Amino acid sequence: MNPYVVENYKKVEARVTAACLRAGRARSEVTLIAVSKTKPAEDIQALIEQGVTNFGENKVQEMCTKEETLQKGLSWHMIGHLQRNKVKYLMGKTCLIHSVDSLRLAQEIQKEAAKAGIICPVLVEINIGNEESKGGIDINEAETLARQIAELPNLKLNGLMCIAPFVDDAEESREHFRRMREKRDELAALAIPGTDIRELSMGMTGDFEVAIEEGATLVRVGTAIFGERDYGQNG
Ligand SMILES: *Cc1c(COP(=O)(O)O)cnc(C)c1O
């Protein structure tokens, strides 16, 4: 158990509020997702007691275990790279899959969501820095994939997600976030039937304030809330 989790969370929350104020946005326009991957249930429980309900995980098995163990009524965001053979375990457990980056993955979600009788909200992940090490599609492919997802009746496309390249100064990410926002606006303006494009999932510990200033609606913050992660010897 990390004794600083609540204190850290309050500091992050204050920084989110300040960034909204600077940007002339309402605090309610931005959802703070506490990224709890690798962290124990007690740390999550401490935040639940503060009223936090949105948590992010990047491993299917870990999310499912936490979803089953902790209280109901929480919102679990799948933010990590998703293998097609794991999709079935997520159905009904995640409120939003942030990391759809291929038609094949979208089709697998369609199959499993139909089987489960649900509509699964998704975001398309953009590889905004064109980094080989990262998932996501080229921003120029976003409209094509959006139109393909729109044809899948059990998926609801809600917006875009990105992980900005790692930099020392978050200001360097501003241009990436701005392009994300422009692309989101452009796709939303197409009003593709079957989609409801409004979300922008961007901003992590190192850059969430800049992301909020540039229009993020979902920020994913792990380290600043839960402390450094220990991936153990398999790290
Ligand atoms: C781990 C992770 C985060 C949180 O990163 P921090 O730098 O610890 O805030 C956000 N988004 C994704 C996709 C992640 O995998």
Side-chain angles (χ1 to χ4, degrees):
M1 163 99 212
N2 177 345
Y4 300 107
V5 166
V6 169
E7 201 178 309
N8 289 345
Y9 162 71
K10 287 180 175 167
K11 284 184 191 156
V12 169
E13 173 54 40
R15 288 169 62 191
V16 169
T17 301
C20 287
L21 203 61
R22 279 199 298 283
R25 306 179 63 195
R27 173 65 189 83
S28 58
E29 289 175 44
V30 180
T31 298
L32 170 58
I33 300 170
V35 176
S36 48
K37 63 192 188 193
T38 80
K39 298 299 180 180
E42 306 85 80
D43 290 0
I44 299 173
Q45 191 58 45
L47 291 185
I48 293 171
E49 282 157 27
Q50 298 296 312
V52 179
T53 56
N54 286 278
F55 295 95
E57 292 283 339
N58 69 338
K59 296 258 184 336
V60 170
Q61 164 109 53
E62 188 177 346
M63 172 184 287
C64 290
T65 303
K66 286 171 173 169
E67 194 273 344
E68 284 157 23
T69 324
L70 289 154
Q71 68 189 61
K72 295 299 152 199
L74 303 173
S75 297
W76 293 96
H77 297 254
M78 174 42 65
I79 62 174
H81 176 71
L82 186 52
Q83 289 172 305
R84 279 178 292 139
N85 62 0
K86 302 254 172 81
V87 165
K88 57 178 175 285
Y89 303 113
L90 277 182
M91 292 301 105
K93 304 220 151 121
T94 181
C95 64
L96 182 63
I97 299 175
H98 292 228
S99 46
V100 175
D101 63 357
S102 71
L103 177 58
R104 291 207 325 157
L105 176 58
Q107 286 167 333
E108 181 66 20
I109 298 170
Q110 167 58 33
K111 190 180 96 191
E112 294 300 331
K115 233 191 260 177
I118 59 169
I119 306 283
C120 187
V122 302
L123 304 179
V124 163
E125 181 174 355
I126 305 292
N127 188 343
I128 195 67
N130 296 316
E131 295 172 285
E132 280 204 20
S133 60
K134 290 210 174 112
I137 60 165
D138 189 290
I139 196 163
N140 297 312
E141 309 287 324
E143 183 180 335
T144 302
L145 186 55
R147 289 190 185 279
Q148 289 167 331
I149 291 174
E151 299 292 321
L152 302 172
N154 293 74
L155 271 70
K156 179 64 96 179
L157 180 60
N158 280 156
L160 304 177
M161 176 270 212
C162 78
I163 304 173
F166 181 81
V167 286
D168 287 324
D169 179 1
E171 279 302 324
E172 293 177 43
S173 300
R174 191 178 290 280
E175 201 50 43
H176 291 311
F177 293 145
R178 194 168 293 164
R179 283 173 59 229
M180 287 288 293
R181 183 200 187 131
E182 286 166 3
K183 182 55 75 177
R184 192 271 320 260
D185 291 347
E186 192 185 309
L187 295 178
L190 295 173
I192 304 166
T195 68
D196 181 13
I197 296 173
R198 51 199 154 78
E199 306 291 356
L200 262 184
S201 171
M202 57 190 198
M204 305 167 42
T205 288
D207 56 17
F208 69 87
E209 288 151 305
V210 174
I212 289 169
E213 288 167 14
E214 296 302 327
T217 64
L218 300 160
V219 291
R220 312 177 308 265
V221 180
T223 308
I225 296 174
F226 291 101
E228 294 291 335
R229 286 176 293 273
D230 180 2
Y231 289 100
Q233 58 187 359
N234 298 319

